[in-house]
Amino acid sequence: MKKFRKVLDGLTTSSPGGTIGSPSCGSAAGTPTAAPTPREIDVQETLTSDNFQLCKTVRHGFPYQPTALAFDPVQKILAIGSRSGGVRILGRPGVDCFCQHESGAAVLHLQFLINEGALVTACADDTLHLWNLRQRRPAVLHSLKFNRERITFCHLPFQSKWLYVGTERGNTHIVNIESFILSGYVIMWNKAIELSTKTHPGPVVHLSDSPKDEGKLLIGFEAGTIVQWDLRAKKADFRIYYDEAIHSVSWHHEGKQFMCSHSDGSLTLWNPRNTTKPFQVTFPHGKIQKDGRKESCKPILKVEYKTSRSSEPFIIFSGGLSYDKAGRRPALTIMHGKAITVLEMGYPIVEFMVLCETPYNNEVQEPYTVVVLLEKDLIVVDLTQSSFPVFENPYPMDIHESPVTCTAYFADCPPDIIPILYSIGAKHKKTGYSHKEWPVGGGTWTLGSHTYPEIIITGHADGSIKFWDASAFTLQMLYKLKTSKVFEKPKAGEGRSAEMVEEDPFAVQMVSWCPQSRIFCVVGISAHIILYRFSKYDANTQIVSLEVRLQCESEDVITPSENENYPCFSEQGSHSPQPHHQHPVSPGSRTPEGAKDRGPCLKVKERVVRVPPGYQSDLVIQLLWVDGEPPQQITSLDINSAYGLLAFGNCNGLAVVDYLQKTVILCMSTVDLYGATDPYQRLTRSPRRNRQSTSGLTELNDNQQSVDMERSKSPTSESRENSFSRSRSSSVSSIDRDTKEAITTLQFGESYGRKSDVLPTPCLWVGTSLGMVLLIPLSIPTDHEERMEEAVTVGPSGAVQMLKGSILRFAFLDCMGALIQSPYEVWRDLNAPEDPDRPRRRKLVHFSPSSSQDANGDGHLAVVCSERQAKVFLMPSQACLFVHNITESSFVLRADVVSVCNSVCLACFCANGHVMTLSLPSLRPLMDVNYLPLTDMRIARTFCFTNGGQALYLSSPTEIQRITYSQEMCDNLQEMLGELFTPIETPEAQNRGFLKGFFGGNAHAFDREELFGEAAAGKASRSLAQHIPGQGGVEGMKMAAGGAVGELARARIALDERGQRLGELEERTALMMTSAESFSKHAHELMLKCKDKKWYQF
């Protein structure tokens, strides 16, 4: 702990824990400094660097750009590989694990070691990896890098430790899974085909062992050649040469026939005993035309041939549709007897897999489900019902249903908000799903002890809003809101929509939510704001609309004066706030000049509309076109339910709206907000302006006035905002956008508008893109009736502070260092039936800065963070207590004051990928981790912090990555994650019967170790492949999963093995005793027989 003491005369004393710097606001980066304060402050800081550690927790959403699919039929877990080298492993809801290959190479093939707790991945860099799934954080145990050949196919027989690997050259190699070493046994392509063949058969596209005999390997080559290779005899049993290219092969479980899919859309059925030609050729979607010829069809990329005891076999394939129907959607075809069902998909099919009751390939398969991996979705079809319904997906695979444009993260929400949102959202869920249990039910997951209500809100390009329950590292959609329903549908080529360049006029830019009052506010890209109230009752409502003309008359260009004498600031306390009388034109009125430019971008529904329970629109605010140009996008927003006010700003100015009285109470350009205290000299519009001299920032404290005109070239919040979304009009030049001073952040709260104030009053803190901080006092009637009738008076006080870079965040602490929450109104349902005994009145909750101090008030601390700096001011004196230069070479993208370990800190995410935390109020650096380089503006747009040491961002267009920077959460992470591996007995194979076993060959007598081991096959060439030990350790496969379940499983397995060994030992001991008794008996008989013989009689 450190104790900071400041005295009136400006002297500073050193605390035992460290030295506080001199009172200068221009300190070097990483050095917090102190300034003299009017009073003594005693803050006990409890956070240290030991409280922080950064790590990833979970990833939600659909794997971006999927490439491969695998399923463990015993463990019942599913794996999906992606183009970026990621692997998602899914089990029962709550069991969701993400693994990432360090190389980032695309995952081409996935192969589970069935019921072994391991997974083999083959990547595009021709490397095989063995992952250990017996731990909550899977790790690579071994890697094998092929140097001279490219991997095209992998096959691992059930209960085998030898992996078959097919290559682009047509060769087949064999890898020992335990040691991950290449066997010397190789099936060369030129040995597999006949010597007389003049052409190369192409890459290996299929490998499988015969269901009748594991010693026979079926090899499919792309060019149309199929070879059955006798592994013992090292020769081909038969060779098939077909005219059409092969894409896949599938066996009948008896091994008497197999089916191939081809590039011409045909399926061929072959008998291994007669391979001269297929005994059946079908074109499932190729109709016979009038001239007698077949329709040309697309390739059938994969076919699965599965048998069933109670019905005809299932033949399931992807592709094969005719070319003649343009624009036809991708489809999966299910052939069951004479019935053919075509399931059209919304996206191209990447891979599909049929799930069967048995893991043995020589038993009746009994298919029950087909998993279809699409480019942007995961579909699971129930095969046990004739209508083939799909399962309702328990995973949040539809985050990207419309592209995510913004996110918000709320931890430790009111406990009643999640159930009520879920109950409202459940009424609008789709129906018609399969009633059976979700088939991917592997792994174990329990609700951890460190859980609390969490909600994630995502805004989307189509104007929709989704509320997600994010508690306990899971994600489940609660409620969906469509903001586009407030507006009339834009008609193509008419009105303002014809001039709009936006493809998505309803796209959500930002959201503001008060969980306590359930007030929700949405900012859209068409310069509109929608305010929603929550109700459990449906209602007929007329949407109220306000139109605001927000435009600055002069260009906000900053230039230094000619004599380099920069303006000083007058005493702020001498200015009393006066109500500003510049009111916008009322929504219904129009002026003659520029009347054609007064309309908003979208048209609000004017008729009475019936709204269902949930969030119901209460007010729509729209900015108007001005001088033929569309309104600038809104860059900041804050709403306070206790005050009944909403504030927003853009690069032109600031507006404040009373949403209770539905009136605009303030509409000002940024320049007018300063009044006489404007620190910049602004020029009117001129074509000859020098941008290099106007990009400066001003920094000010009570002791010095200096202007730093050498600001490094980091973009302002306004320019970054425009880089996140397209410009709304080509007529707005980049120079115009850069030179305007935008309102970048707003915060309502109880504060002191002037230095002379004794008690806190409602205030609005305003931050701009040029580092300026302004305070606007508010006069709000306290009585309920007066509040609904009398006007709220508002006017700038002229109080100004300066920081380097755009202002990003405000927060308020009391003088003990505790965070002061914004006041709020307790939620009340305006549509509920009237109760005469309990009239509906506003119930307000205030958190006054003086609540923990003496009755006369004792001020509070204001934390201000910009792109470059953080400062702590003491209010009402406005003295700068601490300052910290966060970064010199980069700029902060997102900052927030958050609660961690029963204390508060300032968390920052920089454009160079650093995540930092600073203590409050001293701004000591506590953590600085180079976590994530800013490779995509999507990350900057969606990164957000929340309480409890958590944060999230959109790691891809379809996935949300959650991280923690709390050491406590990192320590408890293993407990909160699900177990992928569960000890399960492998199902026994069915009895084959005497005759079937006698005539079925010696499949079970096949010993791969004798053929592929080093003793028989020798060593493979070292130059062919390189073994790389994994970070999981060689012994990692022998480790059971962490946690109590894993410990019990390991103990149970160890006891079983010990008991088995003891039983074997007991049997051997009994045999030895019997043998000893027999030996003793024979020895005694021999002794009696030879007892009386002389030595010469022998």
Side-chain angles (χ1 to χ4, degrees):
M1 296 185 192
K2 295 191 177 182
K3 187 179 289 185
F4 302 99
R5 304 175 65 84
K6 316 289 181 303
V7 292
L8 185 61
D9 58 0
L11 299 176
T12 58
T13 59
S14 299
S15 65
T19 303
I20 304 299
S22 61
S24 169
C25 284
S27 64
T31 307
T33 60
T37 66
R39 57 172 301 280
E40 188 176 285
I41 293 179
D42 190 354
V43 177
Q44 299 288 336
E45 293 190 1
T46 59
L47 292 179
T48 67
S49 58
D50 294 335
N51 295 117
F52 296 92
Q53 180 185 346
L54 191 69
C55 69
K56 294 180 180 179
T57 53
V58 291
R59 181 172 291 205
H60 304 296
F62 181 77
Y64 185 55
Q65 295 179 328
T67 53
L69 182 69
F71 182 73
D72 187 325
V74 179
Q75 289 290 320
K76 295 192 181 301
I77 55 177
L78 187 76
I80 302 173
S82 70
R83 193 176 300 174
S84 60
V87 178
R88 283 282 292 283
I89 304 172
L90 304 170
R92 68 177 67 247
V95 179
D96 188 341
C97 178
F98 174 75
C99 314
Q100 176 66 47
H101 292 90
E102 290 184 0
S103 65
V107 179
L108 301 182
H109 303 279
L110 294 168
Q111 190 81 51
F112 275 106
L113 278 65
I114 296 176
N115 205 27
E116 294 291 337
L119 175 71
V120 175
T121 58
C123 296
D125 59 353
D126 305 306
T127 305
L128 295 172
H129 303 275
L130 179 64
W131 291 83
N132 176 22
L133 306 184
R134 293 184 177 231
Q135 55 193 50
R136 302 196 187 205
R137 291 275 191 172
V140 174
L141 295 172
H142 301 281
S143 297
L144 188 66
K145 168 74 173 173
F146 280 76
N147 297 322
R148 296 183 297 185
E149 296 199 57
R150 310 216 66 181
I151 299 171
T152 56
F153 198 86
C154 295
H155 170 62
L156 180 67
F158 179 45
Q159 295 182 322
S160 168
K161 68 175 184 179
W162 298 96
L163 174 72
Y164 301 115
V165 180
T167 68
E168 193 175 41
R169 293 186 180 180
N171 302 324
T172 302
H173 299 276
I174 301 170
V175 178
N176 186 314
I177 290 298
E178 292 180 351
S179 62
F180 236 57
I181 295 175
L182 210 58
S183 168
Y185 193 114
V186 184
I187 305 173
M188 304 298 290
W189 69 271
N190 53 356
K191 299 287 182 64
I193 65 173
E194 291 178 339
L195 296 176
S196 59
T197 306
K198 297 180 180 180
T199 57
H200 190 280
V204 175
V205 295
H206 177 80
L207 292 168
S208 63
D209 46 334
S210 169
K212 287 180 64 177
D213 188 352
E214 294 177 345
K216 305 294 178 68
L217 183 68
L218 194 69
I219 308 173
F221 298 92
E222 187 180 61
T225 302
I226 300 174
V227 176
Q228 181 167 287
W229 185 261
D230 189 328
L231 294 168
R232 303 182 193 86
K234 299 183 181 180
K235 66 175 186 178
D237 283 346
F238 63 79
R239 298 180 177 91
I240 296 173
Y241 300 97
Y242 196 64
D243 296 337
E244 293 295 335
I246 293 174
H247 287 282
S248 70
V249 183
S250 183
W251 278 100
H252 187 280
H253 82 274
E254 292 179 347
K256 296 178 181 179
Q257 57 190 28
F258 58 87
M259 183 175 290
C260 301
S261 69
H262 300 278
S263 57
D264 63 347
S266 65
L267 297 172
T268 57
L269 205 54
W270 299 84
N271 186 339
R273 295 186 177 182
N274 182 10
T275 57
T276 54
K277 64 177 182 178
F279 70 85
Q280 184 178 331
V281 180
T282 56
F283 288 82
H285 296 296
K287 298 178 182 178
I288 300 177
Q289 298 175 333
K290 293 181 179 179
D291 56 2
R293 293 185 302 174
K294 288 268 188 182
E295 284 182 315
S296 58
C297 296
K298 298 176 183 178
I300 295 179
L301 301 177
K302 183 177 180 180
V303 64
E304 295 253 20
Y305 187 19
K306 303 298 180 183
T307 52
S308 175
R309 286 189 183 88
S310 58
S311 63
E312 296 288 326
F314 283 86
I315 299 172
I316 304 171
F317 61 89
S318 60
L321 299 177
S322 59
Y323 279 106
D324 63 341
K325 295 183 180 178
R328 197 165 182 180
R329 302 172 77 180
L332 183 82
T333 304
I334 302 174
M335 299 174 63
H336 189 212
K338 295 182 179 180
I340 299 179
T341 305
V342 179
L343 304 178
E344 290 192 340
M345 303 294 170
Y347 305 99
I349 297 173
V350 175
E351 173 73 288
F352 77 89
M353 181 168 289
V354 179
L355 310 189
C356 301
E357 296 287 353
T358 176
Y360 297 93
N361 66 342
N362 57 358
E363 296 179 356
V364 179
Q365 299 297 286
E366 296 292 352
Y368 61 91
T369 298
V370 56
V371 179
V372 189
L373 179 63
L374 308 178
E375 279 190 359
K376 293 184 179 181
D377 204 356
L378 181 71
I379 304 295
V380 181
V381 181
D382 185 358
L383 294 178
T384 61
Q385 300 181 48
S386 58
S387 59
F388 302 130
V390 299
F391 288 88
E392 184 178 9
N393 200 324
Y395 316 121
M397 293 291 184
D398 57 346
I399 292 175
H400 62 286
E401 185 178 18
S402 175
V404 178
T405 53
C406 74
T407 57
Y409 193 4
F410 299 87
D412 210 4
C413 299
D416 60 333
I417 193 72
I418 289 179
I420 195 167
L421 283 174
Y422 181 80
S423 64
I424 296 294
K427 298 176 182 177
H428 304 284
K429 283 195 172 184
K430 297 178 181 178
T431 57
Y433 293 111
S434 172
H435 298 294
K436 295 206 168 184
E437 187 181 356
W438 177 252
V440 186
T444 55
W445 179 77
T446 55
L447 194 64
S449 58
H450 301 270
T451 58
Y452 42 81
E454 299 175 72
I455 287 182
I456 294 173
I457 300 176
T458 55
H460 300 264
D462 64 352
S464 62
I465 304 285
K466 292 181 180 179
F467 290 77
W468 306 84
D469 178 6
S471 308
F473 285 166
T474 61
L475 196 70
Q476 181 182 13
M477 195 171 82
L478 297 171
Y479 176 72
K480 183 177 180 180
L481 174 68
K482 295 181 179 179
T483 64
S484 59
K485 289 187 175 182
V486 173
F487 303 100
E488 301 284 358
K489 291 183 179 179
K491 296 180 180 179
E494 292 184 13
R496 291 293 176 198
S497 61
E499 303 176 47
M500 297 280 289
V501 296
E502 289 297 335
E503 299 173 5
D504 303 303
F506 308 113
V508 178
Q509 271 193 298
M510 66 182 78
V511 296
S512 179
W513 187 46
C514 177
Q516 289 80 12
S517 65
R518 302 182 189 175
I519 296 285
F520 185 60
C521 209
V522 179
V523 175
I525 202 168
S526 298
H528 64 271
I529 300 173
I530 310 174
L531 187 142
Y532 290 91
R533 288 178 177 270
F534 188 84
S535 175
K536 293 188 289 185
Y537 304 91
D538 56 2
N540 295 318
T541 181
Q542 175 95 35
I543 301 172
V544 180
S545 175
L546 287 179
E547 296 177 355
V548 179
R549 185 180 189 272
L550 195 57
Q551 183 197 26
C552 56
E553 298 301 330
S554 62
E555 190 71 20
D556 297 350
V557 179
I558 305 93
T559 60
S561 59
E562 294 180 1
N563 56 4
E564 299 296 328
N565 291 326
Y566 300 113
C568 295
F569 291 85
S570 58
E571 171 61 37
Q572 308 300 333
S574 63
H575 292 276
S576 61
Q578 298 295 330
H580 201 276
H581 299 289
Q582 179 186 346
H583 296 291
V585 180
S586 61
S589 64
R590 291 288 181 267
T591 53
E593 57 273 12
K596 64 183 180 65
D597 296 325
R598 300 285 300 184
C601 298
L602 300 172
K603 185 179 180 182
V604 178
K605 290 180 179 178
E606 297 177 351
R607 63 185 184 278
V608 175
V609 293
R610 186 162 187 82
V611 289
Y615 273 104
Q616 301 168 353
S617 57
D618 186 64
L619 176 66
V620 178
I621 304 168
Q622 292 180 284
L623 297 186
L624 301 173
W625 283 57
V626 178
D627 296 333
E629 292 185 356
Q632 295 297 304
Q633 293 176 7
I634 295 166
T635 56
S636 57
L637 170 77
D638 193 36
I639 186 169
N640 188 279
S641 56
Y643 302 159
L645 299 180
L646 180 152
F648 64 94
N650 61 8
C651 63
N652 287 334
L654 169 71
V656 180
V657 173
D658 183 341
Y659 68 80
L660 296 177
Q661 299 185 20
K662 307 294 189 294
T663 57
V664 180
I665 60 175
L666 178 71
C667 184
M668 273 189 170
S669 69
T670 314
V671 182
D672 295 332
L673 288 173
Y674 292 103
T677 62
D678 188 357
Y680 299 114
Q681 293 182 359
R682 303 178 192 260
L683 302 180
T684 55
R685 187 182 301 268
S686 171
R688 300 186 302 276
R689 50 189 158 195
N690 185 355
R691 281 296 299 143
Q692 293 181 352
S693 65
T694 63
S695 62
L697 294 172
T698 304
E699 181 188 352
L700 172 79
N701 62 20
D702 285 356
N703 298 327
Q704 68 183 77
Q705 290 85 29
S706 63
V707 178
D708 177 12
M709 304 307 293
E710 300 298 327
R711 182 191 187 199
S712 84
K713 299 177 182 177
S714 73
T716 64
S717 294
E718 173 61 16
S719 63
R720 287 206 313 279
E721 191 69 27
N722 279 279
S723 67
F724 297 158
S725 55
R726 299 175 294 277
S727 170
R728 300 198 48 76
S729 173
S730 58
S731 64
V732 181
S733 68
S734 61
I735 292 179
D736 288 336
R737 289 199 306 270
D738 288 343
T739 54
K740 290 178 180 177
E741 183 177 10
I743 306 296
T744 55
T745 187
L746 297 164
Q747 180 74 50
F748 286 105
E750 300 285 312
S751 188
Y752 302 85
R754 296 169 299 277
K755 289 183 179 180
S756 58
D757 286 352
V758 177
L759 294 175
T761 57
C763 289
L764 174 63
W765 286 65
V766 182
T768 75
S769 58
L770 295 178
M772 307 298 293
V773 178
L774 301 97
L775 269 74
I776 302 178
L778 308 169
S779 178
I780 304 174
T782 55
D783 182 74
H784 176 73
E785 284 76 14
E786 291 180 357
R787 176 65 186 87
M788 301 305 295
E789 296 175 1
E790 294 185 10
V792 175
T793 57
V794 54
S797 68
V800 177
Q801 297 291 344
M802 293 189 175
L803 282 79
K804 294 180 182 178
S806 301
I807 306 298
L808 300 178
R809 182 67 179 164
F810 297 120
F812 310 120
L813 310 177
D814 63 22
C815 289
M816 301 301 292
L819 185 66
I820 302 173
Q821 302 289 343
S822 296
Y824 63 86
E825 176 190 0
V826 177
W827 174 70
R828 56 197 175 104
D829 197 334
L830 299 181
N831 295 337
E834 289 284 352
D835 187 353
D837 300 329
R838 299 180 62 185
R840 286 200 301 264
R841 297 181 63 86
R842 301 181 71 220
K843 182 180 178 182
L844 308 182
V845 178
H846 286 271
F847 301 92
S848 174
S850 60
S851 59
S852 61
Q853 307 294 325
D854 297 333
N856 61 349
D858 210 9
H860 72 88
L861 302 177
V863 182
V864 185
C865 185
S866 73
E867 287 180 329
R868 300 299 186 85
Q869 275 187 326
K871 287 186 179 182
V872 176
F873 298 97
L874 178 64
M875 303 301 289
S877 68
Q878 302 177 16
C880 178
L881 299 184
F882 300 99
V883 62
H884 179 77
N885 292 333
I886 300 172
T887 177
E888 295 291 346
S889 58
S890 184
F891 55 93
V892 178
L893 287 167
R894 186 62 63 100
D896 210 344
V897 174
V898 292
S899 299
V900 180
C901 299
N902 299 318
S903 188
V904 290
C905 68
L906 176 63
C908 303
F909 173 59
C910 294
N912 58 8
H914 284 248
V915 177
M916 291 176 280
T917 57
L918 304 173
S919 68
L920 289 176
S922 66
L923 298 177
R924 288 179 299 110
L926 297 173
M927 182 189 73
D928 187 351
V929 178
N930 187 5
Y931 169 67
L932 180 75
L934 183 62
T935 55
D936 198 316
M937 283 299 167
R938 176 187 63 253
I939 298 172
R941 187 179 66 243
T942 58
F943 197 101
C944 50
F945 294 100
T946 191
N947 295 328
Q950 295 197 78
L952 65 80
Y953 59 93
L954 214 63
S955 57
S956 74
T958 62
E959 296 169 287
I960 290 175
Q961 177 67 58
R962 290 165 70 178
I963 63 174
T964 181
Y965 46 94
S966 163
Q967 179 67 57
E968 182 183 8
M969 185 164 285
C970 288
D971 294 339
N972 296 316
L973 191 58
Q974 293 292 332
E975 175 195 340
M976 301 174 77
L977 295 176
E979 295 263 8
L980 290 173
F981 179 77
T982 307
I984 300 174
E985 287 190 12
T986 303
E988 295 184 1
Q990 298 174 0
N991 293 325
R992 305 180 67 212
F994 173 76
L995 293 176
K996 190 173 264 189
F998 186 78
F999 293 107
N1002 55 347
H1004 293 279
F1006 177 60
D1007 188 354
R1008 294 184 178 89
E1009 184 68 35
E1010 291 183 1
L1011 288 175
F1012 307 146
E1014 187 176 327
K1019 292 184 178 181
S1021 172
R1022 290 187 177 182
S1023 62
L1024 185 60
Q1026 175 188 0
H1027 176 260
I1028 306 168
Q1031 58 185 357
V1034 178
E1035 298 298 323
M1037 278 295 291
K1038 298 178 182 178
M1039 295 170 55
V1045 174
E1047 293 294 338
L1048 288 172
R1050 188 162 60 228
R1052 187 163 58 248
I1053 292 170
L1055 283 172
D1056 291 343
E1057 292 175 350
R1058 185 169 180 267
Q1060 186 177 352
R1061 287 197 297 269
L1062 285 173
E1064 293 171 355
L1065 180 63
E1066 188 177 354
E1067 291 176 1
R1068 286 199 299 270
T1069 304
L1071 284 172
M1072 289 177 66
M1073 289 178 65
T1074 305
S1075 178
E1077 289 176 0
S1078 177
F1079 178 78
S1080 175
K1081 180 180 178 181
H1082 286 300
H1084 185 69
E1085 289 175 354
L1086 184 62
M1087 183 268 293
L1088 292 174
K1089 184 178 180 180
C1090 304
K1091 180 179 179 183
D1092 298 322
K1093 287 189 177 182
K1094 303 296 183 182
W1095 64 270
Y1096 53 81
Q1097 291 178 326
F1098 284 97

